[in-house]
Amino acid sequence: MRQVLFRATNLLRRPPVLVLAGALAVGGSALVFLPLFGVPGFELSLTLSIAVGLLGGGVGIAAVHQERRLLAGQPPEQAPEPRPSHPAPMVWRALAPALLINLAVLVPPFFAATLYALLGTRCDPFALVGFYPLLTLPSAVLSAVAGVFCGFATRRWGRAVLLYVGLILLSAVPTAWPIVFGPQVYAFNHFLGHMPGPLYDEALAISSALLWFRLETLLLALAVLALTVLSLDVAEARLRRPRLRAGALVLLGLVLAPVILIEAHGTELGLRMTDEALLARLGGVRDTKHFQFIYPRGLPREKVERMARDIEFRHAQLARFLGAAPEGRIRVWLYRSDEEKQALVGAGRTQFAKPWRLELHINGRDFPHSVLKHELAHVMAAPAGSAPFRVTTRLGVWPLMGVIEGLAVGADNPVQGDLTLHQWAAGMRRQKLAPDIRKLVGPEGFYQSAPARAYTLVGSFLRHLADTYGPDKLRALYAHADFQAAYGRPLDALATEWETYLDSLPLDEATVSRAFQRFRTGSLFSRACAREVALLQEEARDYLASDPQQALELYQRAARLQPQEPSFQLGQAAALDRMDRPDEATQALGALAEQVKGQPSLEAEVALAQADTASKRGSKEQARTFLERVLALAPSPEVTRTAQVKLAALESETRAGPIQAYFRETQEELRLLKLASALESTPKDPYLHYLLGRRLLQVDAPTEALPHLTRALEGELPEALRREALRLKVQAAYLAGDCGTVRHEVGALPDYGPAFRAVTSEWAERCDFEDRHFGGPLVPRDAFR
């Protein structure tokens, strides 16, 4: 050990090694002052694994050159060291100090991040600490071993460095190949670590695939070590042809066998994914005119046909918007769940497209699929994008995500709540939450902003350009985001024109308030302990039904980390309510109500929770007061409708039981049974018909839902509920295959604004499309029975 320390100390006296070690130790420690790096979690681990993977080989190369100098008696005042008779000791003398330095430089950043988290933040430094050893240590070991191999391979520094760089580039081939030419979005690299996919999946966890991969990294390091021993000529201290050396040969065989097994089962272990393996795992295929739709086996035939029609309908819409469509069949991969998608291709909660492969990957959702059109827009815009990935790039290399995502959002033109895309963007501007669009469409500004804000603004901007100047100029812009070349006007002038348009839109105070509610959350990089809080929130939701005490503790921890986020305090109140501790829930909600005063949307959410607590305590008048307060605050349509239904429950004993079951029961059958039973005694109650029709539609029974929605509309309902019942009736008629009713209802709808008109008229548009392309609507087999 003394000799190892002596050699490591001597190495650090060499300026190049000192610079490398200092860059890793000091530079890694300095990272703690950046967002997300102040804990030894994923971001710090990934950055240091990349750093030690790139720079650690230089330490190994320097260790070999030091060993040669020691064997030659350099410096002159030092006697030459005896040359070993076997290559293994010579290799170890070079490797041990390099390995020690590579591992030692990882210690200061770890302690710096841990101390910073303990003393400077409220974050738990050990929440994601497992990533640190898994990502950094194998990279440090491999880089040291590979550096020693490269140092012995040649006598010159420059050539050894070039050889090491070549090894890293060679390792990039199996990393990039399945991403570029396959369906996955996660990346594994033996030198540089692991990237699980897009940043939008905030709740990260160590997967079994990562464990297998890092085991393979260590096995490969042993294999390179064995190959170095087999090939080293002791007399020249240089690699030559491998020789038969029993120990090294046995070691090489012992480590290569499991490496080969791991590689042979790479798709099963989650290390990579191929089209063939993914198709085998999902199993279902449906070909249409423009698509190959691949779905999980076992998906009901009607859902498969419904989805096939949906993607063809979206194709027609986007072809009109873009003025063009790609040649060739587009592949749509559908997954059962977020967990299945995460395991197979990565990006569990994030839907994604690969335009250069003409494919998109989406999770199972209710019909119509909420993000299908958005992801399909990425693929449909591919002919206008620049090579090699057929998206917007600067100089063909740097992707401009603002324009890429802006086009997809603009093409989708989503309606959320009762507001259009432009109305949400205008509300954001009036709340002073909108980032500068000029930066969002630039090289780096998009990822610096909260996703909800960035997507909405760039989508509104590009939709405005498309509607104002047409699809041809939009396609010209998509290649390189050159606004001057595409529109003959600079970006600043176009942005000012769009901002003027948004500022001219009429918005009431309630709409502006809802914009604050939706966009108040900052970006991942601006939130305290963001990764830890994402895990806490996910676990708390899972525990709420089964172990509310555990959920309460998790919500309390999340609230301490991000005290400005009211949803965690609402979660605490819900957990207390589940534990039949209504007084404590009331106290918690009262404190929260004081905290959110002046923020109407948040006030309404808190008041709604207060009404639930009061109702559970039997304080009907207090519950009524809270619900009337909710309605006076004019919150989102969803909160408004909920308050109206709960207020109706207080007005009738017959309604109270089934409506409480509607909101509290987890068993769908019990919800439906209680609503149906209550209707036997009050057959004309519009609220019960509305709720039963809504639930039947949600459980894929549109034919049965239609008469209940019709009866609901025959009675007296508040405007928000009537508007929703009309929308649901149009949707139910379409899903039941009754396009006559769809067209009749759409033609007779009152004017509830552009958002409502866009949503309802699309069902009639679907009917017209299916008449032209499929000979009529899809009629469920049990329709009109």
Side-chain angles (χ1 to χ4, degrees), residues 379-406:
V379 179
M380 297 280 286
S386 60
F389 298 114
R390 305 177 79 176
V391 294
T392 313
T393 60
R394 183 68 51 84
L395 302 176
V397 177
W398 188 266
L400 299 177
M401 296 306 299
V403 176
I404 295 169
E405 294 297 344

mmCIF file of all heavy atoms in Angstrom, residues 379-406:
data_model
loop_
_atom_site.group_PDB
_atom_site.id
_atom_site.type_symbol
_atom_site.label_atom_id
_atom_site.label_comp_id
_atom_site.label_asym_id
_atom_site.label_seq_id
_atom_site.Cartn_x
_atom_site.Cartn_y
_atom_site.Cartn_z
ATOM 1 N N VAL A 379 -43.718 13.972 -36.280
ATOM 2 C CA VAL A 379 -43.394 13.070 -37.388
ATOM 3 C C VAL A 379 -43.857 13.657 -38.716
ATOM 4 O O VAL A 379 -43.140 13.596 -39.725
ATOM 5 C CB VAL A 379 -44.033 11.686 -37.150
ATOM 6 C CG1 VAL A 379 -43.716 10.745 -38.302
ATOM 7 C CG2 VAL A 379 -43.537 11.099 -35.824
ATOM 8 N N MET A 380 -45.050 14.236 -38.713
ATOM 9 C CA MET A 380 -45.588 14.800 -39.958
ATOM 10 C C MET A 380 -44.746 15.977 -40.458
ATOM 11 O O MET A 380 -44.716 16.264 -41.659
ATOM 12 C CB MET A 380 -47.025 15.254 -39.732
ATOM 13 C CG MET A 380 -47.998 14.149 -39.372
ATOM 14 S SD MET A 380 -48.566 13.212 -40.790
ATOM 15 C CE MET A 380 -49.680 14.386 -41.552
ATOM 16 N N ALA A 381 -44.048 16.660 -39.539
ATOM 17 C CA ALA A 381 -43.212 17.796 -39.938
ATOM 18 C C ALA A 381 -41.827 17.371 -40.396
ATOM 19 O O ALA A 381 -41.026 18.218 -40.814
ATOM 20 C CB ALA A 381 -43.086 18.782 -38.771
ATOM 21 N N ALA A 382 -41.528 16.080 -40.340
ATOM 22 C CA ALA A 382 -40.185 15.592 -40.658
ATOM 23 C C ALA A 382 -39.674 16.032 -42.031
ATOM 24 O O ALA A 382 -38.500 16.402 -42.164
ATOM 25 C CB ALA A 382 -40.141 14.073 -40.533
ATOM 26 N N PRO A 383 -40.492 16.007 -43.106
ATOM 27 C CA PRO A 383 -39.950 16.427 -44.408
ATOM 28 C C PRO A 383 -39.420 17.848 -44.416
ATOM 29 O O PRO A 383 -38.543 18.178 -45.223
ATOM 30 C CB PRO A 383 -41.161 16.277 -45.342
ATOM 31 C CG PRO A 383 -42.028 15.259 -44.686
ATOM 32 C CD PRO A 383 -41.869 15.501 -43.218
ATOM 33 N N ALA A 384 -39.914 18.701 -43.528
ATOM 34 C CA ALA A 384 -39.451 20.089 -43.483
ATOM 35 C C ALA A 384 -38.240 20.271 -42.580
ATOM 36 O O ALA A 384 -37.590 21.318 -42.613
ATOM 37 C CB ALA A 384 -40.580 21.010 -43.001
ATOM 38 N N GLY A 385 -37.912 19.268 -41.757
ATOM 39 C CA GLY A 385 -36.794 19.383 -40.835
ATOM 40 C C GLY A 385 -35.461 19.184 -41.514
ATOM 41 O O GLY A 385 -35.372 18.792 -42.680
ATOM 42 N N SER A 386 -34.392 19.454 -40.786
ATOM 43 C CA SER A 386 -33.045 19.319 -41.335
ATOM 44 C C SER A 386 -32.442 17.992 -40.899
ATOM 45 O O SER A 386 -32.780 17.443 -39.846
ATOM 46 C CB SER A 386 -32.158 20.480 -40.870
ATOM 47 O OG SER A 386 -32.048 20.507 -39.464
ATOM 48 N N ALA A 387 -31.523 17.495 -41.723
ATOM 49 C CA ALA A 387 -30.869 16.222 -41.450
ATOM 50 C C ALA A 387 -29.934 16.381 -40.246
ATOM 51 O O ALA A 387 -29.491 17.486 -39.936
ATOM 52 C CB ALA A 387 -30.098 15.784 -42.690
ATOM 53 N N PRO A 388 -29.591 15.287 -39.547
ATOM 54 C CA PRO A 388 -30.003 13.911 -39.832
ATOM 55 C C PRO A 388 -31.294 13.487 -39.143
ATOM 56 O O PRO A 388 -31.862 12.465 -39.474
ATOM 57 C CB PRO A 388 -28.819 13.108 -39.286
ATOM 58 C CG PRO A 388 -28.355 13.922 -38.124
ATOM 59 C CD PRO A 388 -28.536 15.360 -38.522
ATOM 60 N N PHE A 389 -31.760 14.290 -38.156
ATOM 61 C CA PHE A 389 -32.906 13.853 -37.369
ATOM 62 C C PHE A 389 -34.222 14.489 -37.806
ATOM 63 O O PHE A 389 -35.251 14.294 -37.170
ATOM 64 C CB PHE A 389 -32.647 14.118 -35.884
ATOM 65 C CG PHE A 389 -31.466 13.344 -35.353
ATOM 66 C CD1 PHE A 389 -30.328 14.005 -34.924
ATOM 67 C CD2 PHE A 389 -31.488 11.971 -35.321
ATOM 68 C CE1 PHE A 389 -29.230 13.303 -34.448
ATOM 69 C CE2 PHE A 389 -30.406 11.250 -34.847
ATOM 70 C CZ PHE A 389 -29.267 11.924 -34.419
ATOM 71 N N ARG A 390 -34.174 15.293 -38.863
ATOM 72 C CA ARG A 390 -35.371 15.836 -39.497
ATOM 73 C C ARG A 390 -36.194 16.699 -38.534
ATOM 74 O O ARG A 390 -37.417 16.618 -38.474
ATOM 75 C CB ARG A 390 -36.207 14.704 -40.096
ATOM 76 C CG ARG A 390 -35.402 13.836 -41.062
ATOM 77 C CD ARG A 390 -36.182 12.676 -41.603
ATOM 78 N NE ARG A 390 -37.075 13.086 -42.661
ATOM 79 C CZ ARG A 390 -37.825 12.249 -43.371
ATOM 80 N NH1 ARG A 390 -37.782 10.941 -43.104
ATOM 81 N NH2 ARG A 390 -38.629 12.679 -44.312
ATOM 82 N N VAL A 391 -35.459 17.523 -37.766
ATOM 83 C CA VAL A 391 -36.086 18.491 -36.872
ATOM 84 C C VAL A 391 -35.376 19.829 -37.066
ATOM 85 O O VAL A 391 -34.468 19.953 -37.877
ATOM 86 C CB VAL A 391 -35.994 18.052 -35.387
ATOM 87 C CG1 VAL A 391 -36.815 16.804 -35.136
ATOM 88 C CG2 VAL A 391 -34.538 17.832 -34.977
ATOM 89 N N THR A 392 -35.782 20.838 -36.308
ATOM 90 C CA THR A 392 -35.162 22.155 -36.400
ATOM 91 C C THR A 392 -33.802 22.138 -35.713
ATOM 92 O O THR A 392 -33.695 21.750 -34.550
ATOM 93 C CB THR A 392 -36.045 23.205 -35.717
ATOM 94 O OG1 THR A 392 -37.391 23.038 -36.146
ATOM 95 C CG2 THR A 392 -35.565 24.610 -36.056
ATOM 96 N N THR A 393 -32.745 22.548 -36.433
ATOM 97 C CA THR A 393 -31.410 22.563 -35.845
ATOM 98 C C THR A 393 -30.691 23.844 -36.232
ATOM 99 O O THR A 393 -31.011 24.489 -37.229
ATOM 100 C CB THR A 393 -30.564 21.374 -36.327
ATOM 101 O OG1 THR A 393 -30.431 21.425 -37.750
ATOM 102 C CG2 THR A 393 -31.184 20.051 -35.917
ATOM 103 N N ARG A 394 -29.712 24.184 -35.430
ATOM 104 C CA ARG A 394 -28.783 25.256 -35.758
ATOM 105 C C ARG A 394 -27.508 24.609 -36.273
ATOM 106 O O ARG A 394 -26.883 23.794 -35.584
ATOM 107 C CB ARG A 394 -28.522 26.110 -34.510
ATOM 108 C CG ARG A 394 -27.635 27.324 -34.690
ATOM 109 C CD ARG A 394 -28.276 28.416 -35.537
ATOM 110 N NE ARG A 394 -29.600 28.811 -35.131
ATOM 111 C CZ ARG A 394 -29.870 29.701 -34.166
ATOM 112 N NH1 ARG A 394 -28.888 30.262 -33.491
ATOM 113 N NH2 ARG A 394 -31.121 30.029 -33.904
ATOM 114 N N LEU A 395 -27.124 24.962 -37.495
ATOM 115 C CA LEU A 395 -25.939 24.404 -38.151
ATOM 116 C C LEU A 395 -26.042 22.886 -38.316
ATOM 117 O O LEU A 395 -25.039 22.188 -38.405
ATOM 118 C CB LEU A 395 -24.671 24.748 -37.358
ATOM 119 C CG LEU A 395 -24.398 26.254 -37.145
ATOM 120 C CD1 LEU A 395 -23.179 26.442 -36.267
ATOM 121 C CD2 LEU A 395 -24.225 26.961 -38.476
ATOM 122 N N GLY A 396 -27.264 22.366 -38.337
ATOM 123 C CA GLY A 396 -27.471 20.938 -38.549
ATOM 124 C C GLY A 396 -27.152 20.071 -37.363
ATOM 125 O O GLY A 396 -27.235 18.848 -37.441
ATOM 126 N N VAL A 397 -26.783 20.677 -36.211
ATOM 127 C CA VAL A 397 -26.335 19.897 -35.054
ATOM 128 C C VAL A 397 -27.172 20.191 -33.821
ATOM 129 O O VAL A 397 -27.732 19.287 -33.199
ATOM 130 C CB VAL A 397 -24.838 20.181 -34.761
ATOM 131 C CG1 VAL A 397 -24.402 19.416 -33.510
ATOM 132 C CG2 VAL A 397 -23.980 19.818 -35.952
ATOM 133 N N TRP A 398 -27.281 21.470 -33.450
ATOM 134 C CA TRP A 398 -27.927 21.836 -32.188
ATOM 135 C C TRP A 398 -29.437 21.934 -32.373
ATOM 136 O O TRP A 398 -29.929 22.771 -33.106
ATOM 137 C CB TRP A 398 -27.368 23.171 -31.701
ATOM 138 C CG TRP A 398 -27.824 23.526 -30.322
ATOM 139 C CD1 TRP A 398 -28.903 24.298 -30.004
ATOM 140 C CD2 TRP A 398 -27.250 23.121 -29.084
ATOM 141 N NE1 TRP A 398 -29.030 24.401 -28.634
ATOM 142 C CE2 TRP A 398 -28.030 23.686 -28.040
ATOM 143 C CE3 TRP A 398 -26.148 22.328 -28.744
ATOM 144 C CZ2 TRP A 398 -27.737 23.490 -26.703
ATOM 145 C CZ3 TRP A 398 -25.866 22.133 -27.401
ATOM 146 C CH2 TRP A 398 -26.649 22.713 -26.406
ATOM 147 N N PRO A 399 -30.213 21.073 -31.682
ATOM 148 C CA PRO A 399 -31.679 21.130 -31.857
ATOM 149 C C PRO A 399 -32.270 22.362 -31.185
ATOM 150 O O PRO A 399 -31.901 22.706 -30.052
ATOM 151 C CB PRO A 399 -32.154 19.840 -31.181
ATOM 152 C CG PRO A 399 -31.100 19.513 -30.183
ATOM 153 C CD PRO A 399 -29.801 20.001 -30.757
ATOM 154 N N LEU A 400 -33.183 23.022 -31.852
ATOM 155 C CA LEU A 400 -33.877 24.193 -31.312
ATOM 156 C C LEU A 400 -35.245 23.738 -30.823
ATOM 157 O O LEU A 400 -36.238 23.727 -31.563
ATOM 158 C CB LEU A 400 -33.992 25.279 -32.380
ATOM 159 C CG LEU A 400 -32.648 25.802 -32.915
ATOM 160 C CD1 LEU A 400 -32.863 26.827 -34.013
ATOM 161 C CD2 LEU A 400 -31.814 26.403 -31.798
ATOM 162 N N MET A 401 -35.287 23.343 -29.536
ATOM 163 C CA MET A 401 -36.481 22.704 -29.005
ATOM 164 C C MET A 401 -37.678 23.637 -28.977
ATOM 165 O O MET A 401 -38.821 23.179 -29.036
ATOM 166 C CB MET A 401 -36.201 22.160 -27.603
ATOM 167 C CG MET A 401 -35.144 21.064 -27.560
ATOM 168 S SD MET A 401 -35.520 19.691 -28.671
ATOM 169 C CE MET A 401 -37.072 19.115 -28.010
ATOM 170 N N GLY A 402 -37.443 24.941 -28.873
ATOM 171 C CA GLY A 402 -38.570 25.856 -28.868
ATOM 172 C C GLY A 402 -39.385 25.781 -30.137
ATOM 173 O O GLY A 402 -40.625 25.754 -30.107
ATOM 174 N N VAL A 403 -38.711 25.725 -31.276
ATOM 175 C CA VAL A 403 -39.415 25.634 -32.561
ATOM 176 C C VAL A 403 -39.960 24.225 -32.767
ATOM 177 O O VAL A 403 -41.077 24.037 -33.267
ATOM 178 C CB VAL A 403 -38.481 26.042 -33.713
ATOM 179 C CG1 VAL A 403 -39.176 25.861 -35.062
ATOM 180 C CG2 VAL A 403 -38.031 27.492 -33.545
ATOM 181 N N ILE A 404 -39.183 23.203 -32.379
ATOM 182 C CA ILE A 404 -39.629 21.817 -32.539
ATOM 183 C C ILE A 404 -40.929 21.578 -31.775
ATOM 184 O O ILE A 404 -41.918 21.079 -32.323
ATOM 185 C CB ILE A 404 -38.528 20.849 -32.067
ATOM 186 C CG1 ILE A 404 -37.290 20.953 -32.959
ATOM 187 C CG2 ILE A 404 -39.045 19.407 -32.055
ATOM 188 C CD1 ILE A 404 -36.076 20.226 -32.411
ATOM 189 N N GLU A 405 -40.927 21.943 -30.501
ATOM 190 C CA GLU A 405 -42.129 21.724 -29.689
ATOM 191 C C GLU A 405 -43.219 22.739 -30.008
ATOM 192 O O GLU A 405 -44.408 22.431 -29.929
ATOM 193 C CB GLU A 405 -41.774 21.784 -28.202
ATOM 194 C CG GLU A 405 -40.871 20.658 -27.725
ATOM 195 C CD GLU A 405 -41.518 19.283 -27.868
ATOM 196 O OE1 GLU A 405 -42.752 19.214 -28.048
ATOM 197 O OE2 GLU A 405 -40.785 18.286 -27.806
ATOM 198 N N GLY A 406 -42.812 23.949 -30.372
ATOM 199 C CA GLY A 406 -43.804 24.959 -30.713
ATOM 200 C C GLY A 406 -44.655 24.555 -31.900
ATOM 201 O O GLY A 406 -45.874 24.759 -31.909
#
